[in-house]
Each structure stands twice: as structure tokens, then as C-alpha cells.
Amino acid sequence: MFDELTLKRIERILAPLLQPRTRPHVKVGGTVAYRVTGQSIEVYSCRPAWDDPDEIIELPIAKFRYVRTRDTWYLYWNRADERWHGYQPMPEADRLDPLVQEVLDDPYGCFWG
């Protein structure tokens, strides 16, 4: 579990990921949120279902995992098989910032499509 100070730092680092990402052909945009579970942070998109606007769908974007014994952050992406896989172009870093920037830039179209 992260302490309160670390959670605030994580929130500040993740802030750029939570900004709206709208495209002209999308009529109703979703929001990007995150949840912290243990030493993992999952970033996901929330939006209404196309056939039922009252139903909210969560679509996974990225997952960050911190391993305290190695003092290392790991980045994962959700493939078509709906499982988390290590993101091979940049699988780990000693800080969260560069991994968040990699998700924002998304040079291979793994996170934002």
C-alpha cells in the first residue's frame, strides 16, 4: 500500500492522463480515471454503452505496478485477449513519470488505439 504522500504524488503525475481526449468523430466522450489496488495503478476509460446510455463501460488503458524490493515501476498494456502484458518498448523505469509520458505519447497505438 502507498502512504498518503505517495498517493498525492501519484495523483499529480497521473493528472495529464486524466485530461479529456476527444476526437471529432466521437459524439459522447468518456472520462479517464484510475484506481489504486495494493502496489498497482490501473488507468481506465469510462463511457456510456453505445446501446444503453445508462450503462457505464470501463475500458482498460494502462497498468503501472511498483515493486518496492526493486524500487522499480513496471508498465502493462491490455491486449485483445483482455489480459495485461508487459509493454516491451519500455517495460520498466525507476520513476513513474517516464512511463506515464510513454502512455501519453503512445508511439505504437497500444494504449489509446
Side-chain angles (χ1 to χ4, degrees), residues 2 10 13-14 17 33-44 61-67 72-77 84 87 90-93 95-104 111-112:
F2 297 111
I10 287 170
I13 293 169
L14 293 179
L17 285 177
Y34 71 96
R35 69 174 62 94
V36 177
T37 307
Q39 299 294 108
S40 296
I41 304 163
E42 184 178 341
V43 179
Y44 58 94
I61 296 170
K63 184 175 186 178
F64 305 98
R65 186 172 58 96
Y66 180 68
V67 176
T72 304
W73 285 93
Y74 294 89
L75 175 58
Y76 299 88
W77 66 294
W84 292 109
Y87 181 71
M90 187 177 200
E92 64 184 63
R95 293 185 351 265
L96 182 58
D97 311 51
L99 297 178
V100 168
Q101 189 60 49
E102 184 74 10
V103 172
L104 281 170
F111 303 107
W112 305 103

mmCIF file of all heavy atoms in Angstrom, residues 2 10 13-14 17 33-44 61-67 72-77 84 87 90-93 95-104 111-112:
data_model
loop_
_atom_site.group_PDB
_atom_site.id
_atom_site.type_symbol
_atom_site.label_atom_id
_atom_site.label_comp_id
_atom_site.label_asym_id
_atom_site.label_seq_id
_atom_site.Cartn_x
_atom_site.Cartn_y
_atom_site.Cartn_z
ATOM 1 N N PHE A 2 0.395 2.259 -0.693
ATOM 2 C CA PHE A 2 1.113 3.526 -0.747
ATOM 3 C C PHE A 2 0.683 4.409 0.431
ATOM 4 O O PHE A 2 -0.484 4.396 0.815
ATOM 5 C CB PHE A 2 0.808 4.254 -2.052
ATOM 6 C CG PHE A 2 1.265 3.512 -3.279
ATOM 7 C CD1 PHE A 2 0.355 2.968 -4.165
ATOM 8 C CD2 PHE A 2 2.620 3.363 -3.555
ATOM 9 C CE1 PHE A 2 0.771 2.298 -5.296
ATOM 10 C CE2 PHE A 2 3.045 2.690 -4.684
ATOM 11 C CZ PHE A 2 2.119 2.158 -5.555
ATOM 12 N N ILE A 10 1.398 10.484 -6.831
ATOM 13 C CA ILE A 10 0.875 9.684 -7.945
ATOM 14 C C ILE A 10 -0.252 10.432 -8.643
ATOM 15 O O ILE A 10 -0.315 10.479 -9.870
ATOM 16 C CB ILE A 10 0.410 8.305 -7.434
ATOM 17 C CG1 ILE A 10 1.617 7.432 -7.090
ATOM 18 C CG2 ILE A 10 -0.489 7.611 -8.451
ATOM 19 C CD1 ILE A 10 1.275 6.159 -6.355
ATOM 20 N N ILE A 13 1.210 13.111 -10.833
ATOM 21 C CA ILE A 13 1.886 12.552 -12.012
ATOM 22 C C ILE A 13 0.880 12.040 -13.033
ATOM 23 O O ILE A 13 1.071 12.189 -14.244
ATOM 24 C CB ILE A 13 2.862 11.439 -11.590
ATOM 25 C CG1 ILE A 13 4.019 12.033 -10.781
ATOM 26 C CG2 ILE A 13 3.391 10.676 -12.795
ATOM 27 C CD1 ILE A 13 4.896 10.998 -10.098
ATOM 28 N N LEU A 14 -0.224 11.449 -12.558
ATOM 29 C CA LEU A 14 -1.234 10.897 -13.470
ATOM 30 C C LEU A 14 -2.166 11.953 -14.058
ATOM 31 O O LEU A 14 -2.900 11.657 -15.005
ATOM 32 C CB LEU A 14 -2.077 9.842 -12.750
ATOM 33 C CG LEU A 14 -1.374 8.555 -12.345
ATOM 34 C CD1 LEU A 14 -2.343 7.637 -11.620
ATOM 35 C CD2 LEU A 14 -0.784 7.845 -13.547
ATOM 36 N N LEU A 17 -2.854 12.218 -17.793
ATOM 37 C CA LEU A 17 -3.602 11.090 -18.374
ATOM 38 C C LEU A 17 -5.106 11.257 -18.206
ATOM 39 O O LEU A 17 -5.886 10.710 -18.976
ATOM 40 C CB LEU A 17 -3.194 9.771 -17.709
ATOM 41 C CG LEU A 17 -1.863 9.165 -18.077
ATOM 42 C CD1 LEU A 17 -1.616 7.911 -17.244
ATOM 43 C CD2 LEU A 17 -1.818 8.819 -19.546
ATOM 44 N N ALA A 33 -10.109 7.612 -15.661
ATOM 45 C CA ALA A 33 -9.970 7.546 -14.213
ATOM 46 C C ALA A 33 -8.899 6.505 -13.875
ATOM 47 O O ALA A 33 -8.367 5.847 -14.768
ATOM 48 C CB ALA A 33 -11.302 7.165 -13.575
ATOM 49 N N TYR A 34 -8.611 6.386 -12.603
ATOM 50 C CA TYR A 34 -7.656 5.371 -12.175
ATOM 51 C C TYR A 34 -8.067 4.835 -10.820
ATOM 52 O O TYR A 34 -8.821 5.456 -10.075
ATOM 53 C CB TYR A 34 -6.230 5.918 -12.140
ATOM 54 C CG TYR A 34 -5.962 6.901 -11.020
ATOM 55 C CD1 TYR A 34 -5.397 6.471 -9.824
ATOM 56 C CD2 TYR A 34 -6.248 8.253 -11.159
ATOM 57 C CE1 TYR A 34 -5.140 7.358 -8.801
ATOM 58 C CE2 TYR A 34 -6.004 9.151 -10.142
ATOM 59 C CZ TYR A 34 -5.447 8.701 -8.965
ATOM 60 O OH TYR A 34 -5.200 9.577 -7.950
ATOM 61 N N ARG A 35 -7.586 3.638 -10.533
ATOM 62 C CA ARG A 35 -7.802 3.045 -9.214
ATOM 63 C C ARG A 35 -6.477 2.465 -8.729
ATOM 64 O O ARG A 35 -5.685 1.964 -9.524
ATOM 65 C CB ARG A 35 -8.905 2.000 -9.250
ATOM 66 C CG ARG A 35 -8.583 0.736 -9.996
ATOM 67 C CD ARG A 35 -9.688 -0.325 -9.858
ATOM 68 N NE ARG A 35 -10.951 0.070 -10.389
ATOM 69 C CZ ARG A 35 -11.384 -0.196 -11.628
ATOM 70 N NH1 ARG A 35 -10.620 -0.864 -12.460
ATOM 71 N NH2 ARG A 35 -12.551 0.209 -12.030
ATOM 72 N N VAL A 36 -6.268 2.561 -7.435
ATOM 73 C CA VAL A 36 -5.065 2.016 -6.814
ATOM 74 C C VAL A 36 -5.468 0.773 -6.033
ATOM 75 O O VAL A 36 -6.381 0.818 -5.201
ATOM 76 C CB VAL A 36 -4.409 3.047 -5.870
ATOM 77 C CG1 VAL A 36 -3.209 2.447 -5.175
ATOM 78 C CG2 VAL A 36 -4.022 4.302 -6.638
ATOM 79 N N THR A 37 -4.806 -0.334 -6.335
ATOM 80 C CA THR A 37 -5.032 -1.589 -5.628
ATOM 81 C C THR A 37 -3.677 -2.129 -5.208
ATOM 82 O O THR A 37 -2.888 -2.549 -6.060
ATOM 83 C CB THR A 37 -5.744 -2.617 -6.543
ATOM 84 O OG1 THR A 37 -6.916 -2.028 -7.088
ATOM 85 C CG2 THR A 37 -6.106 -3.867 -5.775
ATOM 86 N N GLY A 38 -3.405 -2.078 -3.923
ATOM 87 C CA GLY A 38 -2.103 -2.528 -3.438
ATOM 88 C C GLY A 38 -0.995 -1.674 -4.016
ATOM 89 O O GLY A 38 -0.962 -0.471 -3.829
ATOM 90 N N GLN A 39 -0.104 -2.284 -4.767
ATOM 91 C CA GLN A 39 1.018 -1.579 -5.391
ATOM 92 C C GLN A 39 0.780 -1.344 -6.885
ATOM 93 O O GLN A 39 1.714 -1.034 -7.618
ATOM 94 C CB GLN A 39 2.311 -2.378 -5.204
ATOM 95 C CG GLN A 39 2.716 -2.587 -3.760
ATOM 96 C CD GLN A 39 3.096 -1.302 -3.067
ATOM 97 O OE1 GLN A 39 2.363 -0.812 -2.224
ATOM 98 N NE2 GLN A 39 4.226 -0.759 -3.416
ATOM 99 N N SER A 40 -0.460 -1.506 -7.335
ATOM 100 C CA SER A 40 -0.787 -1.334 -8.753
ATOM 101 C C SER A 40 -1.734 -0.160 -8.961
ATOM 102 O O SER A 40 -2.589 0.116 -8.112
ATOM 103 C CB SER A 40 -1.456 -2.595 -9.308
ATOM 104 O OG SER A 40 -0.571 -3.677 -9.267
ATOM 105 N N ILE A 41 -1.580 0.485 -10.108
ATOM 106 C CA ILE A 41 -2.452 1.575 -10.508
ATOM 107 C C ILE A 41 -3.008 1.220 -11.880
ATOM 108 O O ILE A 41 -2.249 1.018 -12.828
ATOM 109 C CB ILE A 41 -1.678 2.902 -10.610
ATOM 110 C CG1 ILE A 41 -0.982 3.224 -9.296
ATOM 111 C CG2 ILE A 41 -2.611 4.025 -11.042
ATOM 112 C CD1 ILE A 41 0.092 4.267 -9.423
ATOM 113 N N GLU A 42 -4.310 1.135 -11.987
ATOM 114 C CA GLU A 42 -4.948 0.825 -13.266
ATOM 115 C C GLU A 42 -5.639 2.083 -13.788
ATOM 116 O O GLU A 42 -6.449 2.693 -13.089
ATOM 117 C CB GLU A 42 -5.963 -0.291 -13.098
ATOM 118 C CG GLU A 42 -6.574 -0.723 -14.403
ATOM 119 C CD GLU A 42 -7.558 -1.864 -14.253
ATOM 120 O OE1 GLU A 42 -7.511 -2.566 -13.223
ATOM 121 O OE2 GLU A 42 -8.365 -2.046 -15.174
ATOM 122 N N VAL A 43 -5.309 2.467 -15.011
ATOM 123 C CA VAL A 43 -5.924 3.608 -15.672
ATOM 124 C C VAL A 43 -6.939 3.056 -16.660
ATOM 125 O O VAL A 43 -6.636 2.137 -17.425
ATOM 126 C CB VAL A 43 -4.857 4.465 -16.401
ATOM 127 C CG1 VAL A 43 -5.509 5.647 -17.099
ATOM 128 C CG2 VAL A 43 -3.787 4.934 -15.423
ATOM 129 N N TYR A 44 -8.149 3.611 -16.638
ATOM 130 C CA TYR A 44 -9.203 3.103 -17.500
ATOM 131 C C TYR A 44 -10.101 4.244 -17.972
ATOM 132 O O TYR A 44 -10.142 5.315 -17.380
ATOM 133 C CB TYR A 44 -10.025 2.029 -16.776
ATOM 134 C CG TYR A 44 -10.652 2.509 -15.490
ATOM 135 C CD1 TYR A 44 -11.955 2.991 -15.470
ATOM 136 C CD2 TYR A 44 -9.939 2.487 -14.292
ATOM 137 C CE1 TYR A 44 -12.534 3.441 -14.293
ATOM 138 C CE2 TYR A 44 -10.508 2.933 -13.120
ATOM 139 C CZ TYR A 44 -11.804 3.405 -13.122
ATOM 140 O OH TYR A 44 -12.357 3.858 -11.962
ATOM 141 N N ILE A 61 -6.840 0.953 -19.993
ATOM 142 C CA ILE A 61 -5.874 1.689 -20.819
ATOM 143 C C ILE A 61 -4.455 1.235 -20.497
ATOM 144 O O ILE A 61 -3.727 0.797 -21.379
ATOM 145 C CB ILE A 61 -6.016 3.208 -20.613
ATOM 146 C CG1 ILE A 61 -7.391 3.671 -21.083
ATOM 147 C CG2 ILE A 61 -4.904 3.957 -21.334
ATOM 148 C CD1 ILE A 61 -7.725 5.089 -20.725
ATOM 149 N N ALA A 62 -4.071 1.355 -19.230
ATOM 150 C CA ALA A 62 -2.707 1.007 -18.833
ATOM 151 C C ALA A 62 -2.699 0.596 -17.367
ATOM 152 O O ALA A 62 -3.601 0.943 -16.606
ATOM 153 C CB ALA A 62 -1.767 2.189 -19.043
ATOM 154 N N LYS A 63 -1.650 -0.127 -17.011
ATOM 155 C CA LYS A 63 -1.475 -0.530 -15.624
ATOM 156 C C LYS A 63 -0.018 -0.306 -15.243
ATOM 157 O O LYS A 63 0.888 -0.657 -15.994
ATOM 158 C CB LYS A 63 -1.842 -2.007 -15.447
ATOM 159 C CG LYS A 63 -1.783 -2.494 -14.025
ATOM 160 C CD LYS A 63 -2.276 -3.932 -13.967
ATOM 161 C CE LYS A 63 -2.376 -4.435 -12.561
ATOM 162 N NZ LYS A 63 -2.898 -5.815 -12.532
ATOM 163 N N PHE A 64 0.178 0.312 -14.093
ATOM 164 C CA PHE A 64 1.505 0.541 -13.545
ATOM 165 C C PHE A 64 1.614 -0.282 -12.262
ATOM 166 O O PHE A 64 0.684 -0.303 -11.467
ATOM 167 C CB PHE A 64 1.706 2.019 -13.204
ATOM 168 C CG PHE A 64 1.448 2.944 -14.347
ATOM 169 C CD1 PHE A 64 0.231 3.585 -14.474
ATOM 170 C CD2 PHE A 64 2.411 3.180 -15.309
ATOM 171 C CE1 PHE A 64 -0.025 4.448 -15.523
ATOM 172 C CE2 PHE A 64 2.176 4.040 -16.361
ATOM 173 C CZ PHE A 64 0.955 4.680 -16.468
ATOM 174 N N ARG A 65 2.741 -0.938 -12.066
ATOM 175 C CA ARG A 65 2.938 -1.732 -10.860
ATOM 176 C C ARG A 65 4.290 -1.373 -10.266
ATOM 177 O O ARG A 65 5.306 -1.328 -10.966
ATOM 178 C CB ARG A 65 2.887 -3.229 -11.173
ATOM 179 C CG ARG A 65 2.944 -4.102 -9.935
ATOM 180 C CD ARG A 65 2.686 -5.557 -10.278
ATOM 181 N NE ARG A 65 3.625 -6.080 -11.238
ATOM 182 C CZ ARG A 65 4.724 -6.759 -10.926
ATOM 183 N NH1 ARG A 65 5.026 -6.989 -9.680
ATOM 184 N NH2 ARG A 65 5.518 -7.206 -11.874
ATOM 185 N N TYR A 66 4.280 -1.116 -8.989
ATOM 186 C CA TYR A 66 5.512 -0.769 -8.283
ATOM 187 C C TYR A 66 5.988 -1.972 -7.478
ATOM 188 O O TYR A 66 5.222 -2.581 -6.734
ATOM 189 C CB TYR A 66 5.268 0.415 -7.349
ATOM 190 C CG TYR A 66 6.488 0.832 -6.580
ATOM 191 C CD1 TYR A 66 7.581 1.399 -7.218
ATOM 192 C CD2 TYR A 66 6.549 0.656 -5.209
ATOM 193 C CE1 TYR A 66 8.706 1.781 -6.515
ATOM 194 C CE2 TYR A 66 7.667 1.038 -4.488
ATOM 195 C CZ TYR A 66 8.737 1.596 -5.151
ATOM 196 O OH TYR A 66 9.852 1.979 -4.453
ATOM 197 N N VAL A 67 7.259 -2.325 -7.649
ATOM 198 C CA VAL A 67 7.870 -3.390 -6.869
ATOM 199 C C VAL A 67 8.862 -2.734 -5.906
ATOM 200 O O VAL A 67 9.924 -2.256 -6.326
ATOM 201 C CB VAL A 67 8.566 -4.437 -7.771
ATOM 202 C CG1 VAL A 67 9.269 -5.484 -6.934
ATOM 203 C CG2 VAL A 67 7.564 -5.077 -8.710
ATOM 204 N N THR A 72 11.273 -0.210 -8.501
ATOM 205 C CA THR A 72 11.061 -0.116 -9.945
ATOM 206 C C THR A 72 9.570 -0.106 -10.264
ATOM 207 O O THR A 72 8.792 -0.815 -9.651
ATOM 208 C CB THR A 72 11.715 -1.322 -10.658
ATOM 209 O OG1 THR A 72 13.101 -1.367 -10.302
ATOM 210 C CG2 THR A 72 11.590 -1.220 -12.161
ATOM 211 N N TRP A 73 9.204 0.712 -11.259
ATOM 212 C CA TRP A 73 7.840 0.754 -11.787
ATOM 213 C C TRP A 73 7.790 -0.057 -13.073
ATOM 214 O O TRP A 73 8.712 0.017 -13.886
ATOM 215 C CB TRP A 73 7.420 2.186 -12.086
ATOM 216 C CG TRP A 73 7.109 2.990 -10.871
ATOM 217 C CD1 TRP A 73 7.962 3.788 -10.170
ATOM 218 C CD2 TRP A 73 5.848 3.075 -10.214
ATOM 219 N NE1 TRP A 73 7.322 4.359 -9.116
ATOM 220 C CE2 TRP A 73 6.006 3.942 -9.129
ATOM 221 C CE3 TRP A 73 4.601 2.501 -10.445
ATOM 222 C CZ2 TRP A 73 4.962 4.260 -8.270
ATOM 223 C CZ3 TRP A 73 3.560 2.818 -9.591
ATOM 224 C CH2 TRP A 73 3.749 3.685 -8.517
ATOM 225 N N TYR A 74 6.707 -0.802 -13.268
ATOM 226 C CA TYR A 74 6.505 -1.598 -14.477
ATOM 227 C C TYR A 74 5.250 -1.114 -15.190
ATOM 228 O O TYR A 74 4.266 -0.735 -14.548
ATOM 229 C CB TYR A 74 6.372 -3.092 -14.139
ATOM 230 C CG TYR A 74 7.638 -3.672 -13.589
ATOM 231 C CD1 TYR A 74 7.902 -3.648 -12.226
ATOM 232 C CD2 TYR A 74 8.592 -4.207 -14.430
ATOM 233 C CE1 TYR A 74 9.072 -4.164 -11.722
ATOM 234 C CE2 TYR A 74 9.777 -4.729 -13.936
ATOM 235 C CZ TYR A 74 10.008 -4.705 -12.583
ATOM 236 O OH TYR A 74 11.191 -5.209 -12.091
ATOM 237 N N LEU A 75 5.276 -1.169 -16.522
ATOM 238 C CA LEU A 75 4.157 -0.720 -17.343
ATOM 239 C C LEU A 75 3.560 -1.909 -18.085
ATOM 240 O O LEU A 75 4.288 -2.719 -18.662
ATOM 241 C CB LEU A 75 4.638 0.339 -18.345
ATOM 242 C CG LEU A 75 3.638 0.856 -19.368
ATOM 243 C CD1 LEU A 75 2.409 1.457 -18.697
ATOM 244 C CD2 LEU A 75 4.309 1.882 -20.276
ATOM 245 N N TYR A 76 2.229 -1.985 -18.085
ATOM 246 C CA TYR A 76 1.500 -3.054 -18.767
ATOM 247 C C TYR A 76 0.438 -2.455 -19.671
ATOM 248 O O TYR A 76 -0.056 -1.366 -19.414
ATOM 249 C CB TYR A 76 0.814 -3.975 -17.740
ATOM 250 C CG TYR A 76 1.769 -4.644 -16.811
ATOM 251 C CD1 TYR A 76 2.159 -4.040 -15.623
ATOM 252 C CD2 TYR A 76 2.302 -5.890 -17.121
ATOM 253 C CE1 TYR A 76 3.051 -4.651 -14.764
ATOM 254 C CE2 TYR A 76 3.199 -6.513 -16.259
ATOM 255 C CZ TYR A 76 3.565 -5.886 -15.094
ATOM 256 O OH TYR A 76 4.452 -6.495 -14.255
ATOM 257 N N TRP A 77 0.100 -3.190 -20.716
ATOM 258 C CA TRP A 77 -0.995 -2.785 -21.593
ATOM 259 C C TRP A 77 -1.943 -3.962 -21.751
ATOM 260 O O TRP A 77 -1.574 -5.110 -21.567
ATOM 261 C CB TRP A 77 -0.492 -2.266 -22.936
ATOM 262 C CG TRP A 77 0.190 -3.270 -23.815
ATOM 263 C CD1 TRP A 77 1.379 -3.905 -23.590
ATOM 264 C CD2 TRP A 77 -0.267 -3.738 -25.078
ATOM 265 N NE1 TRP A 77 1.685 -4.725 -24.634
ATOM 266 C CE2 TRP A 77 0.693 -4.654 -25.574
ATOM 267 C CE3 TRP A 77 -1.392 -3.474 -25.853
ATOM 268 C CZ2 TRP A 77 0.556 -5.286 -26.787
ATOM 269 C CZ3 TRP A 77 -1.515 -4.114 -27.065
ATOM 270 C CH2 TRP A 77 -0.553 -5.008 -27.524
ATOM 271 N N TRP A 84 -3.391 -8.415 -19.109
ATOM 272 C CA TRP A 84 -2.301 -7.456 -19.019
ATOM 273 C C TRP A 84 -1.000 -8.105 -19.456
ATOM 274 O O TRP A 84 -0.681 -9.205 -19.031
ATOM 275 C CB TRP A 84 -2.162 -6.941 -17.588
ATOM 276 C CG TRP A 84 -3.320 -6.102 -17.158
ATOM 277 C CD1 TRP A 84 -4.285 -6.447 -16.259
ATOM 278 C CD2 TRP A 84 -3.635 -4.786 -17.603
ATOM 279 N NE1 TRP A 84 -5.181 -5.421 -16.121
ATOM 280 C CE2 TRP A 84 -4.798 -4.384 -16.933
ATOM 281 C CE3 TRP A 84 -3.057 -3.909 -18.507
ATOM 282 C CZ2 TRP A 84 -5.398 -3.148 -17.131
ATOM 283 C CZ3 TRP A 84 -3.647 -2.676 -18.713
ATOM 284 C CH2 TRP A 84 -4.803 -2.299 -18.031
ATOM 285 N N TYR A 87 4.656 -4.092 -21.366
ATOM 286 C CA TYR A 87 4.829 -3.216 -22.527
ATOM 287 C C TYR A 87 6.313 -3.230 -22.901
ATOM 288 O O TYR A 87 7.142 -2.590 -22.267
ATOM 289 C CB TYR A 87 4.351 -1.809 -22.165
ATOM 290 C CG TYR A 87 4.464 -0.816 -23.273
ATOM 291 C CD1 TYR A 87 3.633 -0.875 -24.384
ATOM 292 C CD2 TYR A 87 5.396 0.216 -23.209
ATOM 293 C CE1 TYR A 87 3.733 0.055 -25.391
ATOM 294 C CE2 TYR A 87 5.498 1.148 -24.214
ATOM 295 C CZ TYR A 87 4.660 1.067 -25.307
ATOM 296 O OH TYR A 87 4.762 1.998 -26.316
ATOM 297 N N MET A 90 9.027 -0.221 -23.457
ATOM 298 C CA MET A 90 9.514 0.443 -22.243
ATOM 299 C C MET A 90 8.899 -0.275 -21.042
ATOM 300 O O MET A 90 7.949 0.206 -20.443
ATOM 301 C CB MET A 90 9.123 1.918 -22.245
ATOM 302 C CG MET A 90 9.717 2.718 -21.134
ATOM 303 S SD MET A 90 9.252 4.442 -21.312
ATOM 304 C CE MET A 90 10.496 5.204 -20.325
ATOM 305 N N PRO A 91 9.409 -1.453 -20.688
ATOM 306 C CA PRO A 91 8.759 -2.267 -19.668
ATOM 307 C C PRO A 91 8.898 -1.770 -18.233
ATOM 308 O O PRO A 91 8.076 -2.086 -17.396
ATOM 309 C CB PRO A 91 9.421 -3.632 -19.823
ATOM 310 C CG PRO A 91 10.757 -3.325 -20.412
ATOM 311 C CD PRO A 91 10.559 -2.113 -21.273
ATOM 312 N N GLU A 92 9.935 -0.989 -17.953
ATOM 313 C CA GLU A 92 10.156 -0.563 -16.568
ATOM 314 C C GLU A 92 10.914 0.749 -16.522
ATOM 315 O O GLU A 92 11.535 1.169 -17.504
ATOM 316 C CB GLU A 92 10.915 -1.626 -15.786
ATOM 317 C CG GLU A 92 12.308 -1.880 -16.301
ATOM 318 C CD GLU A 92 12.994 -3.008 -15.556
ATOM 319 O OE1 GLU A 92 12.504 -4.143 -15.621
ATOM 320 O OE2 GLU A 92 14.022 -2.735 -14.909
ATOM 321 N N ALA A 93 10.839 1.388 -15.359
ATOM 322 C CA ALA A 93 11.572 2.626 -15.122
ATOM 323 C C ALA A 93 11.727 2.795 -13.617
ATOM 324 O O ALA A 93 10.973 2.215 -12.830
ATOM 325 C CB ALA A 93 10.833 3.822 -15.713
ATOM 326 N N ARG A 95 11.238 5.602 -12.133
ATOM 327 C CA ARG A 95 10.242 6.600 -11.728
ATOM 328 C C ARG A 95 8.964 6.379 -12.530
ATOM 329 O O ARG A 95 8.999 5.829 -13.633
ATOM 330 C CB ARG A 95 10.762 8.014 -11.974
ATOM 331 C CG ARG A 95 11.929 8.397 -11.089
ATOM 332 C CD ARG A 95 12.368 9.871 -11.244
ATOM 333 N NE ARG A 95 11.775 10.624 -12.316
ATOM 334 C CZ ARG A 95 12.320 10.787 -13.546
ATOM 335 N NH1 ARG A 95 13.467 10.212 -13.836
ATOM 336 N NH2 ARG A 95 11.719 11.514 -14.447
ATOM 337 N N LEU A 96 7.855 6.850 -12.021
ATOM 338 C CA LEU A 96 6.568 6.714 -12.701
ATOM 339 C C LEU A 96 6.433 7.688 -13.869
ATOM 340 O O LEU A 96 5.820 7.356 -14.891
ATOM 341 C CB LEU A 96 5.431 6.925 -11.683
ATOM 342 C CG LEU A 96 4.006 6.773 -12.172
ATOM 343 C CD1 LEU A 96 3.760 5.389 -12.761
ATOM 344 C CD2 LEU A 96 3.031 7.053 -11.030
ATOM 345 N N ASP A 97 7.029 8.855 -13.772
ATOM 346 C CA ASP A 97 6.879 9.908 -14.787
ATOM 347 C C ASP A 97 7.152 9.451 -16.222
ATOM 348 O O ASP A 97 6.334 9.717 -17.109
ATOM 349 C CB ASP A 97 7.795 11.104 -14.489
ATOM 350 C CG ASP A 97 7.707 11.591 -13.071
ATOM 351 O OD1 ASP A 97 7.832 10.769 -12.151
ATOM 352 O OD2 ASP A 97 7.532 12.798 -12.887
ATOM 353 N N PRO A 98 8.286 8.810 -16.507
ATOM 354 C CA PRO A 98 8.550 8.429 -17.898
ATOM 355 C C PRO A 98 7.556 7.400 -18.436
ATOM 356 O O PRO A 98 7.235 7.402 -19.628
ATOM 357 C CB PRO A 98 9.965 7.862 -17.882
ATOM 358 C CG PRO A 98 10.353 7.698 -16.472
ATOM 359 C CD PRO A 98 9.412 8.487 -15.636
ATOM 360 N N LEU A 99 7.038 6.538 -17.565
ATOM 361 C CA LEU A 99 6.058 5.554 -18.020
ATOM 362 C C LEU A 99 4.736 6.231 -18.360
ATOM 363 O O LEU A 99 4.081 5.886 -19.350
ATOM 364 C CB LEU A 99 5.859 4.474 -16.966
ATOM 365 C CG LEU A 99 7.088 3.617 -16.643
ATOM 366 C CD1 LEU A 99 6.765 2.624 -15.542
ATOM 367 C CD2 LEU A 99 7.607 2.910 -17.881
ATOM 368 N N VAL A 100 4.345 7.206 -17.558
ATOM 369 C CA VAL A 100 3.125 7.969 -17.849
ATOM 370 C C VAL A 100 3.295 8.718 -19.168
ATOM 371 O O VAL A 100 2.378 8.754 -19.995
ATOM 372 C CB VAL A 100 2.790 8.937 -16.690
ATOM 373 C CG1 VAL A 100 1.708 9.927 -17.096
ATOM 374 C CG2 VAL A 100 2.363 8.157 -15.460
ATOM 375 N N GLN A 101 4.460 9.289 -19.396
ATOM 376 C CA GLN A 101 4.706 10.002 -20.652
ATOM 377 C C GLN A 101 4.634 9.048 -21.840
ATOM 378 O O GLN A 101 4.125 9.394 -22.905
ATOM 379 C CB GLN A 101 6.066 10.711 -20.618
ATOM 380 C CG GLN A 101 6.286 11.634 -21.787
ATOM 381 C CD GLN A 101 5.236 12.730 -21.857
ATOM 382 O OE1 GLN A 101 4.948 13.404 -20.874
ATOM 383 N NE2 GLN A 101 4.646 12.909 -23.028
ATOM 384 N N GLU A 102 5.120 7.823 -21.675
ATOM 385 C CA GLU A 102 5.054 6.821 -22.746
ATOM 386 C C GLU A 102 3.595 6.496 -23.080
ATOM 387 O O GLU A 102 3.240 6.362 -24.247
ATOM 388 C CB GLU A 102 5.803 5.552 -22.327
ATOM 389 C CG GLU A 102 5.867 4.499 -23.405
ATOM 390 C CD GLU A 102 6.830 4.830 -24.533
ATOM 391 O OE1 GLU A 102 7.620 5.788 -24.425
ATOM 392 O OE2 GLU A 102 6.792 4.100 -25.538
ATOM 393 N N VAL A 103 2.746 6.394 -22.063
ATOM 394 C CA VAL A 103 1.326 6.138 -22.301
ATOM 395 C C VAL A 103 0.698 7.331 -23.016
ATOM 396 O O VAL A 103 -0.087 7.171 -23.952
ATOM 397 C CB VAL A 103 0.582 5.838 -20.974
ATOM 398 C CG1 VAL A 103 -0.923 5.760 -21.196
ATOM 399 C CG2 VAL A 103 1.103 4.549 -20.360
ATOM 400 N N LEU A 104 1.046 8.534 -22.614
ATOM 401 C CA LEU A 104 0.514 9.736 -23.264
ATOM 402 C C LEU A 104 0.930 9.800 -24.735
ATOM 403 O O LEU A 104 0.108 10.081 -25.614
ATOM 404 C CB LEU A 104 1.001 10.997 -22.547
ATOM 405 C CG LEU A 104 0.271 11.367 -21.271
ATOM 406 C CD1 LEU A 104 1.014 12.479 -20.554
ATOM 407 C CD2 LEU A 104 -1.149 11.793 -21.579
ATOM 408 N N PHE A 111 -2.175 1.925 -26.208
ATOM 409 C CA PHE A 111 -2.983 2.385 -25.089
ATOM 410 C C PHE A 111 -4.258 3.108 -25.532
ATOM 411 O O PHE A 111 -5.325 2.849 -25.002
ATOM 412 C CB PHE A 111 -2.158 3.306 -24.192
ATOM 413 C CG PHE A 111 -0.919 2.640 -23.682
ATOM 414 C CD1 PHE A 111 0.332 2.977 -24.176
ATOM 415 C CD2 PHE A 111 -0.993 1.661 -22.703
ATOM 416 C CE1 PHE A 111 1.475 2.357 -23.717
ATOM 417 C CE2 PHE A 111 0.147 1.027 -22.234
ATOM 418 C CZ PHE A 111 1.385 1.384 -22.746
ATOM 419 N N TRP A 112 -4.139 3.999 -26.486
ATOM 420 C CA TRP A 112 -5.288 4.817 -26.900
ATOM 421 C C TRP A 112 -5.893 4.335 -28.227
ATOM 422 O O TRP A 112 -6.888 4.873 -28.657
ATOM 423 C CB TRP A 112 -4.891 6.279 -27.000
ATOM 424 C CG TRP A 112 -4.282 6.797 -25.744
ATOM 425 C CD1 TRP A 112 -2.967 7.021 -25.508
ATOM 426 C CD2 TRP A 112 -4.958 7.132 -24.533
ATOM 427 N NE1 TRP A 112 -2.781 7.470 -24.225
ATOM 428 C CE2 TRP A 112 -3.990 7.567 -23.607
ATOM 429 C CE3 TRP A 112 -6.300 7.121 -24.139
ATOM 430 C CZ2 TRP A 112 -4.317 7.982 -22.321
ATOM 431 C CZ3 TRP A 112 -6.605 7.544 -22.844
ATOM 432 C CH2 TRP A 112 -5.636 7.953 -21.965
#
